[in-house]
Amino acid sequence: MKGSAEIMNVRTRTAAAVLTLAVVAGLGATSCSKSRWCERDLGDVHVADSYCERGTPGYEWEPDHDKPKYKKKSKKH
């Protein structure tokens, strides 16, 4: 039975390492880009980043480059 306990210990360590890497990668991905925000798909309403960080359905990250920084003025002749 000692072999079974060792296998379980290795599995537990491996699972903990994978979980840690996933959390660190997620934090790194969200902290690197400050030019994005979380929006609710319905109506494109800005919401707290926590909705997108949790992967809540109906919410998505919007990058800064999707929207124009200024509106074009129409020329009247």
Side-chain angles (χ1 to χ4, degrees), residues 26 29-30 36-41 45-63:
T30 58
R36 67 178 188 167
W37 57 88
C38 187
E39 280 189 359
R40 183 175 179 199
D41 289 341
V45 178
H46 290 235
V47 296
D49 289 348
S50 61
Y51 289 98
C52 291
E53 289 168 353
R54 286 182 277 168
T56 307
Y59 296 87
E60 65 182 6
W61 290 110
E62 290 293 328

Side-chain angles (χ1 to χ4, degrees), residues 20 44 70:
T20 302
D44 290 330
Y70 59 91

Side-chain angles (χ1 to χ4, degrees), residues 14-36:
T14 303
V18 169
L19 180 62
T20 302
L21 288 173
V23 169
V24 169
L27 291 174
T30 58
S31 67
C32 290
S33 175
K34 296 294 181 186
S35 63
R36 67 178 188 167

